[in-house]
Amino acid sequence: MHDMLAEPMSSDAVVQMDEPADGRLVRLSQARPGERGVIAEVRAGSHADDHGVGVDELHRRLLEFGFVEGAVIEILHEGAIRRDPIAVRLDDMRIALRRRDAEGIWVLLDVP
Amino acid sequence: MSEAVLPPARVALVGNPNSGKTALFNALTGARQKVANYAGVTVERKEGQLTTPDGRTISVLDLPGTYSLRARSPDEVVTRDAVLGKLAGEQAPDVLVAVADATNLRLVLRLILELKAVGRPMVLALNMYDIAQRQGLRIDLEGLSRELDCPIVTTVATRKRGIEDLVAQVDALARSGALVADSTWREPDAAQIRLAHREAQRILKAYVRPPEHPDTLTGKIDAVLLHPVAGLAILLSVLFLMFQAVFTWAELPKDAIDHGFQALGGLIASNLPPSLLRGFLTDGLISGVGSVLVFLPQILVLFLFIILLEDFGYMARAAFLMDRIMGGAGLHGRAFIPLLSSFACAIPGIMATRVIDNKRDRLTTILVAPLMTCSARIPVYTLIISAFIPNRSVWGVMNLQGLVMFGLYAAGIISALGVSFVTRRLFWRGAVEPFLMELPTYKLPDPENVLRSLYIRGKIFVSRAGRIILPLMIVVWFLANFPGPPRGATDPAINYSLAGLIGHWLQPGLAPIGFNWQMTVALIPGFAAREVAVAVLGTVYAVGGQASPGALATSLAHHWSIATGLAFLAWYIFAPQCVSTLGVIKRETNSWKWPLIAFGYMTALAYLAAFATYQIARASGLG
Ligand SMILES: Nc1nc2c(ncn2[C@@H]2O[C@H](COP(=O)(O)OP(=O)(O)OP(=O)(O)O)[C@@H](O)[C@H]2O)c(=O)[nH]1
Ligand SMILES: [Mg+2]
């Protein structure tokens, strides 16, 4: 379980969860294939210069691709080298992204 | 005012990538722009015209796909500026056609909400309606139309269904004219994007019932094709099969064309008295231009593979599988498709880099794109391989010539990765941009589209032979024949010609890499296009009386050492010779600096590679 309290919830994020709160909350960057759940929060990440664009820009791009609170997500595949990149099903789309760009996305995993 | 003086109505097609905008554009205007099953096919604006049944002209604009008007990469900037009417010398379109993939509405609904703020009249084209119906997707068209306050038309662009209806709606909106409001569009911030998503979600819930038979095939195919081990093995096998096929499948038709040219040469030789005209026809035309044209089947086989993979939806998967390797070399994830397009030709490849937002990422890709083996190298590679590499099978199943071809392609890819790696390490350190890519659903390639694309490719190849190679060969043939030999000369006449003089004069510079004077002559006009070298060799050897038409490979095998042949192959992995590529680099980067850098580093690498190959081959007794 990741330490949620260490990082304050950003104010513009609205967490809408139908699930009981006993699911596991993980960063998408650490999720494994087969895991599924609901996006709990999308944060502007913390590693500003890691992405070549500002954190705010990355944040908006993720949102525009449909990584928004409440979206249903499932990790489908991962690459051979360092398990990167990952392919996810997001609602009814399939999207590939690199793990380090997925750090700001928190997923509440379904209880199996 | 009468109809005739009405200015044409201007319409722009806007939508998410891969929603079928270009297919719709082609259906509307009869154009033949490239359509393929991955995001980012269209990277520039294309204009076409259509005439409505009552004679009104409508000008249609096809635009690059985007998820938002908040443009980030050069292609998206084109879309934003066209929609907002900011393009130089161009007004905003009279009507917007929002093109949506009916089976994938969530993101486009948010884009439509953005488009509404622009204040232009809009029609929503629900494209791919055939797939939506097959899946049993239920959309409440009336409700959705009321909610979005715009007419909705269902279309199947690839089958030209719904086109008249769309034209009628666009026409009606353009006529009513007065609906234009001022644009209130501004770049949304994160909170506004979230809000718009929630709104899109609400609309979706209210008017769209989930499909009764959702697509499960894509998931099943992906389980195999994206498997970390099996997926990579399949990718390699596909590439491998492709290059084997270039040799084995195309061999018969190639030989047939070859024999055809030989017969034609024989016919001319036996019916015309020896004259300049006869010399030009057999040596310049048949031995020159003909020696390039015989490779048409090879080009078609290669493109058949590429087009099938593109239409099937495999390209995005290949990009996924290769991403980590490309990232390790400092390339952007979106560099994959531009580099892959460069297998056809570096020019569309370099233009396709417009999907890359970061300037350095884009420049790196532009610089290495010409190292990918373009189809103009195929005539060179095939000629040299069939002259020097024995046609036998290895390990029972593989053809040695195909194997060498595969090796040459691999060498191109590896050197592109290497150059990118060095560039990023030495000059442009820093993080690579985020990479998000939609994986499209698999589609069965449409035979009509495949044949049409193949035809276009074949036409380009043949017309290059007419436009570039033919005029050059007239010059080369002239240089190879004039001035004639002095009285009592004992050497072949060509040695006294201008071509011979130039070749002999420059050859010492290329002696260390094993090139003879004929090859030296071939490299110079070869700057126009790589395959010209083949034509020049054909003419030079024919004029020199050292080859009969159509038998170039045999005479090369006779006159060159293996070391020289291999060095020529090595040169062509890097060969900088292509003015159009340098021109497009200039245009895309808006400076002479980058084409000069590209030319410089490629020449240096070509020389080094040929030098090393020649010397090593000689040392191993192949000289
Ligand atoms: N079944 C079906 N396939 C379609 C239809 N329209 C387009 N396609 C296919 O969808 C894919 C994408 O079409 P394009 O026209 O290239 O899409 P685009 O919107 O121009 O894409 P970008 O230029 O990348 O933004 C191609 O494989 C087309 O053959 C349709 O109505 N039905
Ligand atoms: Mg297009």
Side-chain angles (χ1 to χ4, degrees):
Chain A
M1 168 104 190
H2 287 271
D3 190 359
M4 283 182 61
L5 298 174
E7 295 179 53
M9 295 283 234
S10 59
S11 55
D12 62 349
V14 181
V15 186
Q16 294 173 322
M17 283 173 278
D18 305 331
E19 244 63 36
D22 58 356
R24 213 154 52 90
L25 196 61
V26 298
R27 288 177 191 271
L28 180 58
S29 55
Q30 263 132 35
R32 307 299 317 277
E35 291 180 335
R36 60 174 84 200
V38 175
I39 295 186
E41 199 194 345
V42 184
R43 282 183 217 173
S46 41
H47 314 281
D49 34 78
D50 252 18
H51 304 287
V53 294
V55 282
D56 172 61
E57 176 59 31
L58 175 65
H59 187 199
R60 284 198 275 179
R61 284 189 202 186
L62 289 171
L63 292 172
E64 279 166 1
F65 253 84
F67 290 94
V68 284
E69 288 77 11
V72 179
I73 191 168
E74 178 183 354
I75 292 80
L76 300 171
H77 309 282
E78 58 188 13
I81 307 171
R82 300 224 195 138
R83 310 181 185 286
D84 201 29
I86 52 174
V88 302
R89 180 210 286 283
L90 183 64
D91 289 324
D92 15 70
M93 288 171 68
R94 285 155 211 282
I95 296 175
L97 75 167
R98 292 179 178 161
R99 284 192 184 267
R100 60 171 194 174
D101 298 328
E103 288 211 325
I105 302 168
W106 290 84
V107 180
L108 185 69
L109 297 180
D110 293 352
V111 195
Chain B
M1 221 167 34
S2 77
E3 289 280 310
V5 292
L6 270 180
R10 306 182 62 259
V11 178
L13 304 176
V14 200
N16 290 164
N18 211 35
S19 56
K21 296 176 296 299
T22 305
L24 205 55
F25 176 78
N26 289 349
L28 284 167
T29 65
R32 287 176 176 178
Q33 292 300 321
K34 178 166 174 176
V35 168
N37 191 10
Y38 60 84
V41 181
T42 309
V43 291
E44 53 182 352
R45 60 183 287 288
K46 284 278 178 221
E47 208 169 330
Q49 307 251 315
L50 70 90
T51 314
T52 59
D54 48 0
R56 180 181 173 131
T57 309
I58 296 183
S59 123
V60 187
L61 203 57
D62 183 25
L63 294 169
T66 183
Y67 293 99
S68 154
L69 283 185
R70 211 174 56 78
R72 303 148 318 194
S73 46
D75 62 327
E76 293 173 354
V77 170
V78 170
T79 302
R80 182 197 61 198
D81 289 352
V83 169
L84 298 178
K86 282 194 197 153
L87 281 185
E90 210 175 282
Q91 289 174 340
D94 301 314
V95 179
L96 293 178
V97 176
V99 183
D101 171 353
T103 63
N104 192 358
L105 284 173
R106 193 178 312 263
L107 296 192
V108 74
L109 279 176
R110 204 195 59 74
L111 178 66
I112 289 172
L113 296 177
E114 260 190 66
L115 288 175
K116 287 197 75 72
V118 174
R120 296 273 147 185
M122 183 162 62
V123 182
L124 170 57
L126 281 182
N127 193 35
M128 312 220 185
Y129 208 65
D130 54 333
I131 306 180
Q133 279 180 322
R134 207 180 320 135
Q135 293 185 354
L137 190 74
R138 292 283 188 71
I139 304 174
D140 171 5
L141 296 174
E142 258 172 52
L144 189 60
S145 169
R146 224 180 310 114
E147 174 81 44
L148 296 174
D149 189 26
C150 76
I152 296 184
V153 181
T154 61
T155 58
V156 183
T158 43
R159 299 255 161 281
K160 295 196 168 48
R161 258 184 260 155
I163 303 300
E164 288 117 62
D165 202 7
L166 178 61
V167 171
Q169 294 288 357
V170 167
D171 196 29
L173 273 185
R175 270 164 205 274
S176 63
L179 297 167
V180 182
D182 282 341
S183 171
T184 55
W185 181 83
R186 268 189 292 125
E187 246 193 41
D189 62 20
Q192 287 164 324
I193 298 174
R194 280 198 171 89
L195 215 68
H197 258 303
R198 223 162 292 143
E199 174 71 0
Q201 181 70 24
R202 180 188 67 74
I203 297 175
L204 203 65
K205 247 199 183 126
Y207 303 105
V208 182
R209 262 229 312 266
E212 288 163 21
H213 330 280
D215 164 49
T216 52
L217 196 63
T218 297
K220 285 179 194 153
I221 299 176
D222 271 347
V224 181
L225 293 188
L226 292 186
H227 187 274
V229 182
L232 275 174
I234 292 172
L235 175 62
L236 273 181
S237 319
V238 168
L239 289 178
F240 198 78
L241 181 71
M242 184 158 107
F243 299 125
Q244 291 280 315
V246 165
F247 263 90
T248 47
W249 299 5
E251 205 51 34
L252 268 181
K254 177 190 161 256
D255 285 349
I257 302 180
D258 218 359
H259 287 135
F261 277 123
Q262 284 183 36
L264 192 65
L267 208 67
I268 293 175
S270 55
N271 284 311
L272 282 180
S275 64
L276 276 183
L277 177 67
R278 181 179 113 177
F280 174 70
L281 288 180
T282 53
D283 300 345
L285 221 54
I286 295 176
S287 294
V289 182
S291 58
V292 174
L293 279 181
V294 293
F295 295 106
L296 180 63
Q298 260 89 357
I299 304 276
L300 290 182
V301 169
L302 179 77
F303 277 109
L304 179 64
F305 270 83
I306 293 183
I307 293 166
L308 286 177
L309 292 176
E310 282 181 348
D311 284 4
F312 180 52
Y314 188 67
M315 288 313 185
R317 272 72 188 186
F320 178 87
L321 293 169
M322 294 297 295
D323 181 63
R324 194 69 212 196
I325 297 170
M326 305 229 326
L331 282 165
H332 191 280
R334 298 197 78 177
F336 182 82
I337 285 168
L339 291 183
L340 206 86
S341 317
S342 302
F343 276 143
C345 172
I347 294 165
I350 287 168
M351 285 175 49
T353 63
R354 291 181 189 180
V355 300
I356 302 174
D357 21 6
N358 181 283
K359 189 135 184 264
R360 288 179 171 183
D361 290 341
R362 183 158 174 245
L363 272 176
T364 315
T365 314
I366 289 178
L367 284 181
V368 303
L371 292 179
M372 306 303 284
T373 305
C374 67
S375 56
R377 284 177 175 100
I378 290 184
V380 182
Y381 284 176
T382 320
L383 175 71
I384 306 296
I385 287 176
S386 45
F388 294 98
I389 308 293
N391 184 8
R392 60 181 166 84
S393 58
V394 256
W395 303 312
V397 280
M398 281 173 279
N399 172 286
L400 183 62
Q401 295 186 328
L403 207 61
V404 172
M405 191 75 157
F406 180 72
L408 288 167
Y409 272 83
I413 298 169
I414 291 167
S415 44
L417 292 177
V419 170
S420 159
F421 184 78
V422 172
T423 314
R424 299 295 305 206
R425 273 301 147 99
L426 291 187
F427 309 114
W428 290 329
R429 294 163 151 273
V432 170
E433 294 252 304
F435 167 54
L436 295 155
M437 175 179 65
E438 223 183 309
L439 298 171
T441 45
Y442 291 107
K443 292 198 175 77
L444 218 52
D446 172 29
E448 208 186 303
N449 186 40
V450 173
L451 285 181
R452 189 172 45 223
S453 313
L454 211 54
Y455 171 76
I456 292 174
R457 279 291 149 195
K459 215 173 100 177
I460 293 175
F461 180 73
V462 174
S463 84
R464 268 166 73 98
R467 278 183 305 112
I468 304 175
I469 304 178
L470 179 64
L472 274 171
M473 291 325 293
I474 296 177
V475 176
V476 169
W477 179 82
F478 181 82
L479 291 178
N481 278 281
F482 296 96
R487 238 169 242 288
T490 47
D491 288 347
I494 193 170
N495 282 8
Y496 302 96
S497 70
L498 276 171
L501 291 180
I502 297 172
H504 284 295
W505 183 59
L506 288 176
Q507 193 264 342
L510 297 182
I513 62 176
F515 287 15
N516 58 27
W517 73 263
Q518 289 95 335
M519 298 159 81
T520 312
V521 170
L523 288 187
I524 303 166
F527 269 101
R530 293 186 178 89
E531 70 266 42
V532 171
V534 168
V536 179
L537 286 173
T539 294
V540 169
Y541 278 103
V543 174
Q546 290 165 317
S548 53
L552 184 55
T554 339
S555 66
L556 291 190
H558 198 71
H559 293 287
W560 296 6
S561 68
I562 296 183
T564 292
L566 295 180
F568 200 58
L569 285 181
W571 172 279
Y572 264 92
I573 294 173
F574 302 98
Q577 290 115 310
C578 178
V579 266
S580 340
T581 301
L582 297 174
V584 87
I585 296 179
K586 153 85 178 53
R587 199 181 75 198
E588 295 291 308
T589 59
N590 228 335
S591 119
W592 281 108
K593 182 175 162 195
W594 300 108
L596 286 176
I597 289 178
F599 181 78
Y601 96 80
M602 287 172 77
T603 311
L605 286 181
Y607 198 92
L608 276 178
F611 179 78
T613 309
Y614 182 64
Q615 300 299 343
I616 291 171
R618 266 211 339 178
S620 0
L622 297 171

